[in-house]
Amino acid sequence: MGPPPPAPRQGRLSCSSTATHSGSTDSRTGIPKGSHRKENQFIYRNGSKLHAYDRDKAPYPSSFDPKVVELQCLDNALMSASKGSLSFADFTSPQSVPKRCLDIGTGLGLWVISCAKAWPEATFVGLDMVNIQVPLRILDADVADRIEWVHTNVLRNKLPFEDDEFDYVHILGLALGIPENKLVQEILRVMKPGAIIEQVEEDALFPILPKWYTAPLRAHSRTLSTAVPGTVQQRLSFPHMPDTSHLEHEHEMLESLFGDVWTNRFINRKPTSALPGYFSAFFERVVAPPVSIWLSPPFPPSHHSPASTNTILPHSHGNGSAEVHGDTSDLLSPHVDNTDSLAPSPSTTLRTSSENSIKGKISPSPSMTSLREIARRIDQTRTDPENASTISLASYTDSQHSSGSGSKSSKSGKRPSVMLLASPEDSTSLGGNFASDIVPVERVQSQDEHTQYMHLFRTFTYVLSIKEAMWDELLVRVHAKDERLRRYGWRDEDYNEQTSRAIFDYAVELYESDMRGRIALWNSAVQNGWDLPSRDPPSKAEVMEQMHLRREIMEAQRLAELNDEPEQPARVFRILIGHKES
């Protein structure tokens, strides 16, 4: 007859009626208990899946659309590749591995699952306000038995755990969902004396394309949706085409709404600047390197067929003119080298909101060789306590820049892809020489520029994830007949919800199209062995139109570089590790 079936796992007993726990089901129907609760409910609005909590009770603005939730898979992979372990804290010895772990804001629960597989003696709780975690039933029993998903709104309820329950608390990306200092006391309560907390947060950035990039696209009226692979494959419609020549950039309105989302929800969109202050006020032995900055990637390369033997790209002359050589039939087929890519300066291919400009505050991008020098200098800080309180690349990269190497490799001309650390005058560092141990220099060194495209894609997609929150802010302006909207093309007859929504949707579609072209994920896919979907060959007129467009963008970039625009980040992180008083 065989062994009897295993008994179903029981959910942990709750010390709070405001939380639900995985494994709790109705004995008669088998339906999970609490299916009527907020964590199991979602609101669908204009194609976006939103949480069902009231805004004042849960100000988290991001949607839960599949393409947004899947970003957690990308983040998990990027973070693992960068730090080379499951934690920035030192758990290298078996004795140091925590036994009881809490992950606040667990999302899909990917970090919990990874840790449960790596730490077989530890138990885990993943806490979130919505029920989107990987079902435990699909995991191996030895892993699932040590994991529990718990749901509650931490802004309204106490953490549903006993005092001194956890010896490790992990937080990733929570600060953009709750106001500052709202959770620290509760975290301290559930931590054991001497327990470790690790928090990694990032700023909410709005990637902006400069006018030198978007102006040629607008001039060509977007008649060719394939002008840059990755753009939205449709002609965009608009009630009327406003004049944007007076704006700082093409997507200024969306940037303004993006800023309003955080301001009006009382959430600091730059938590990396505030974290060290209150973190060190509540926790002991705090270790935190300076802010980590991922620069934007270079402009994607030109396109021609790998099988083509003739170069068909425009060759620029000193006077800015260009001529075309060879057969143009395969112009749009991507290739896998960067022989004719635009100048790889991040300062002229992408920038973020002016308040996030960091000109003079981060160092130019060092080469792979320079990263080895950085590692050597970090080692030096360990033997020099007076200079070990901060870590900066400025001293080394300034000398690189003055010698003429700039941000390009001297031989290949390819822009190296690295994570930078903010300079001492712009970013504090806590923990003395121990802070240097957290910096994953060697891991970062091994990554190529395509990692940067992934970081930029992550930042851009997050902007799209709060689209409905941005629309709420616009609707407030529309109802108030805010005169500021006239700057973005509103007329008297446009101050109504239907027309304003059409204008907003067009602006979002245009931004998405421009950014997809800028990121050009096809380039990273091709270089990693993927084949592009087949398509009909373009006509000769389409080929020539696209060549003219690219030539105009290249010339506009050349002129923009003369203005020495500031370098801008694709993502900005802050890592902090602390301990509860023993």
Side-chain angles (χ1 to χ4, degrees), residues 313-325 340 544 547-548 550-552 554-555:
L313 297 164
H315 294 271
S316 183
H317 298 285
N319 59 5
S321 64
E323 60 185 45
V324 179
H325 302 284
D340 193 49
M544 296 305 297
M547 291 176 64
H548 288 311
R550 184 164 183 91
R551 184 166 60 244
E552 290 179 15
M554 292 173 69
E555 174 62 13

Side-chain angles (χ1 to χ4, degrees), residues 288-293 358 360-366 370-382 384 386-400 418-430 432-433 435-437 439 441 574:
V291 167
S292 302
I293 302 166
I358 48 177
K361 297 179 181 178
I362 64 171
S363 307
S365 175
S370 72
L371 275 176
R372 295 188 181 93
E373 174 64 13
I374 293 164
R376 183 184 66 79
R377 288 176 176 244
I378 288 176
D379 287 336
Q380 287 181 344
T381 65
R382 298 170 182 167
D384 187 359
E386 293 184 1
N387 297 319
S389 59
T390 60
I391 308 170
S392 174
L393 311 188
S395 60
Y396 180 75
T397 49
D398 283 349
S399 63
Q400 286 281 92
V418 295
M419 177 185 68
L420 302 183
L421 300 177
S423 60
E425 60 270 20
D426 183 55
S427 175
T428 58
S429 177
L430 305 173
N433 58 326
S436 62
D437 295 329
V439 181
V441 174
R574 167 73 80 174

Side-chain angles (χ1 to χ4, degrees), residues 38-318:
K38 292 290 188 181
E39 63 264 20
N40 296 312
Q41 298 176 359
F42 295 91
I43 297 172
Y44 294 86
R45 197 176 77 183
N46 297 308
S48 293
K49 182 180 179 180
L50 310 173
H51 67 71
Y53 294 90
D54 294 336
R55 170 172 159 174
D56 61 332
K57 296 180 180 178
Y60 182 69
S62 180
S63 70
F64 293 88
D65 301 332
K67 64 181 180 181
V68 176
V69 173
E70 288 167 0
L71 289 177
Q72 297 177 34
C73 301
L74 177 61
D75 265 348
N76 192 55
L78 288 172
M79 295 300 289
S80 296
S82 294
K83 59 189 177 184
S85 65
L86 298 170
S87 172
F88 285 107
D90 184 12
F91 296 136
T92 53
S93 66
Q95 296 77 16
S96 64
V97 175
K99 302 302 181 183
R100 181 72 170 156
C101 308
L102 171 63
D103 185 30
I104 302 178
T106 194
L108 290 174
L110 301 178
W111 180 87
V112 166
I113 295 172
S114 298
C115 288
K117 293 178 178 179
W119 301 339
E121 301 301 320
T123 60
F124 300 85
V125 175
L127 179 77
D128 208 286
M129 70 174 183
V130 292
N131 185 8
I132 61 171
Q133 291 72 48
V134 174
L136 295 180
R137 65 178 180 274
I138 70 173
L139 303 177
D140 292 340
D142 63 330
V143 173
D145 287 341
R146 293 180 290 109
I147 296 176
E148 180 184 5
W149 306 135
V150 177
H151 307 106
T152 191
N153 182 359
V154 296
L155 288 181
R156 292 288 173 170
N157 310 314
K158 288 186 175 182
L159 294 178
F161 310 113
E162 303 294 341
D163 295 354
D164 305 332
E165 182 171 340
F166 299 96
D167 50 11
Y168 178 47
V169 175
H170 176 265
I171 300 174
L172 174 62
L174 185 67
L176 294 179
I178 63 175
E180 296 174 14
N181 298 330
K182 292 294 184 180
L183 194 57
V184 180
Q185 291 286 4
E186 271 297 284
I187 293 175
L188 277 169
R189 180 183 65 80
V190 302
M191 291 175 66
K192 294 179 180 178
I196 297 175
I197 179 172
E198 174 182 330
Q199 186 167 4
V200 181
E201 300 291 353
E202 68 175 299
D203 293 344
L205 304 180
F206 185 94
I208 295 170
L209 291 165
K211 281 189 172 181
W212 67 257
Y213 179 83
T214 57
L217 295 177
R218 301 296 93 80
H220 284 251
S221 301
R222 310 186 70 81
T223 56
L224 293 173
S225 63
T226 54
V228 183
T231 56
V232 175
Q233 301 297 301
Q234 61 182 1
R235 180 186 290 273
L236 304 176
S237 59
F238 189 64
H240 60 274
M241 184 63 68
D243 176 23
T244 60
S245 60
H246 60 287
L247 302 180
E248 291 187 7
H249 57 85
E250 184 81 19
H251 309 296
E252 182 184 305
M253 180 189 73
L254 294 181
E255 179 198 7
S256 176
L257 297 175
F258 183 79
D260 285 353
V261 167
W262 309 105
T263 300
N264 295 331
R265 292 169 187 249
F266 305 101
I267 297 176
N268 184 357
R269 61 178 289 192
K270 299 181 66 177
T272 61
S273 61
L275 271 173
Y278 74 80
F279 201 87
S280 58
F282 289 95
F283 300 102
E284 292 189 338
R285 291 176 283 162
V286 174
V287 178
V291 167
S292 302
I293 302 166
W294 285 93
L295 295 181
S296 60
F299 194 93
S302 320
H303 338 296
H304 65 79
S305 172
S308 176
T309 56
N310 296 324
T311 301
I312 45 75
L313 297 164
H315 294 271
S316 183
H317 298 285

